[in-house]
Amino acid sequence: MKFFKSVWALFLVVGLAASCWGSSAEDTLNVVAYGSASGMSAPKKGLVGVWNLKSYGQNKGDDHRSVAVWFHGGMTSGNCEKGLVAGGDMAELLPGFIVMSASACKQDHWVTPVAVGWVDAALDSIAGRRGYPIDNIYLVGISDGALGVMAYSLWGRRQVKSRLLISSYGAAFGDAAEIARERRLQTGRWRFIQGGSDRLYPADVTVPWITRFCNSLDQGAEANSSLQCDMKFDPAGEHDWSYWKSHQKDWILEIFNEK
C-alpha cells in the first residue's frame, strides 16, 4: 500500500528509542514466521516474552480467552531480545491477562509481515498451551509500537477487540482518511493517548491526524459494527511509558475493563 512509504522516511529522520522496561518474561517462545504466510524467501525465527502464563486462570476474574499483545518502541534497534522484558510493566498492570511481547529487530520491524507472523505464531502457541481458543485480542503499542498495532490490525489472522496507541505518530503510516478506509480497521475499539509535552511528536501534528482518523472510521463503518474510536489528551503528557504508567494508569486500564 502506498501509505506505508512514509514509514521509511520517518526512520531516516529520527531513531525511536524504547522507554518501556519491566520484569523479564516468565516464559520465552521461539516462534517462526513462514515464507508461505509472509512472502519471505525463508522462515525467520523470533523471540517472544510471555507473562502471567503459569498463574493464568487461577482467579475467578481472569479472562480465559484474552491476551494483551505489547508492541515496544525502538522497533529498528539492534536489540533483538527486547520483547523478553518490554512487556513486564504491562503484565504488572494486568494480572488477570496473559501478556505477550514480541521482539522487533532492525529490518524486521513492526510494519513487516515477518513481525506480524511472529505475533500470530506466539498466539497460536499460547492457545495450544492453555487449551483455550483466543477470542479477545488486545493490542497495546507505544511510540513506533503503535505502528505495530496498526500493522497487526491490517495483516494479523485474528480479529482485534481493542487497541491502545500511546504517544503515537500515525502520519508515519500515511494519510488518516486513506488508512481508515481499510475494512479490517473498522471494527473494535481504538483508544489513543497523547501528550502535550511529547518531545518527539508535537500535539499540533498528532492530534489532528487522530481526529481525522477517528472521524473517517466512523463514516466508513457499518451500522452494526463494534467500532469505537477516541482519544485521551493530557496537556502535560510526555512521550515515555514511565510518564503514562505513573500519571494516567486509569486511562491505560480502561479498555481492559470494558465488556
Side-chain angles (χ1 to χ4, degrees):
M1 299 179 185
K2 64 181 181 181
F3 51 78
F4 292 142
K5 294 179 181 178
S6 59
V7 174
W8 297 107
L10 177 66
F11 295 155
L12 295 175
V13 175
V14 59
L16 299 178
S19 54
C20 45
W21 299 99
S23 57
S24 59
E26 70 176 42
D27 200 359
T28 299
L29 303 180
N30 290 283
V31 295
V32 177
Y34 290 95
S36 59
S38 64
M40 296 178 296
S41 58
K44 288 191 175 183
K45 295 181 179 180
L47 291 175
V48 178
V50 183
W51 292 259
N52 303 335
L53 183 63
K54 296 177 181 177
S55 61
Y56 184 70
Q58 295 180 2
N59 301 312
K60 292 182 178 179
D62 291 351
D63 192 340
H64 294 274
R65 298 174 184 268
S66 297
V67 173
V69 182
W70 173 259
F71 294 86
H72 61 69
M75 67 182 185
T76 57
S77 78
N79 181 1
C80 299
E81 298 184 1
K82 189 177 294 185
L84 303 185
V85 297
D89 281 349
M90 181 59 65
E92 292 177 4
L93 294 178
L94 298 173
F97 284 72
I98 292 176
V99 174
M100 58 156 287
S101 172
S103 302
C105 176
K106 298 180 180 178
Q107 71 273 15
D108 295 323
H109 55 77
W110 293 134
V111 194
T112 61
V114 60
V116 173
W118 287 334
V119 174
D120 269 325
L123 291 171
D124 290 343
S125 179
I126 291 170
R129 294 188 185 196
R130 294 302 303 171
Y132 288 104
I134 298 175
D135 296 330
N136 299 322
I137 304 297
Y138 296 77
L139 307 181
V140 186
I142 188 166
S143 190
D144 55 343
L147 299 178
V149 172
M150 288 190 167
Y152 187 86
S153 296
L154 280 170
W155 302 332
R157 286 192 283 103
R158 289 174 168 85
Q159 184 171 332
V160 179
K161 178 174 182 176
S162 294
R163 309 163 183 88
L164 180 62
L165 299 88
I166 307 170
S167 301
S168 62
Y169 183 68
F173 219 78
D175 179 75
E178 182 177 354
I179 298 168
R181 285 197 289 268
E182 296 293 328
R183 296 297 297 272
R184 291 203 61 185
L185 304 187
Q186 295 175 1
T187 60
R189 171 178 258 297
W190 292 83
R191 160 63 57 81
F192 292 85
I193 296 179
Q194 294 294 130
S197 296
D198 191 315
R199 69 185 186 278
L200 291 181
Y201 303 145
D204 60 353
V205 175
T206 59
V207 171
W209 190 96
I210 293 169
T211 301
R212 189 179 183 202
F213 177 75
C214 286
N215 289 342
S216 298
L217 279 181
D218 290 339
Q219 294 172 6
E222 298 177 358
N224 62 348
S225 172
S226 61
L227 176 68
Q228 299 179 66
C229 188
D230 58 46
M231 178 183 62
K232 294 284 191 180
F233 182 76
D234 180 351
E238 300 173 5
H239 184 79
D240 297 333
W241 167 253
S242 58
Y243 176 88
W244 297 112
K245 182 184 177 184
S246 299
H247 293 81
Q248 300 294 356
K249 183 173 69 173
D250 290 346
W251 287 3
I252 296 171
L253 295 177
E254 187 174 355
I255 68 166
F256 298 98
N257 295 325
E258 295 174 347
K259 301 300 182 183

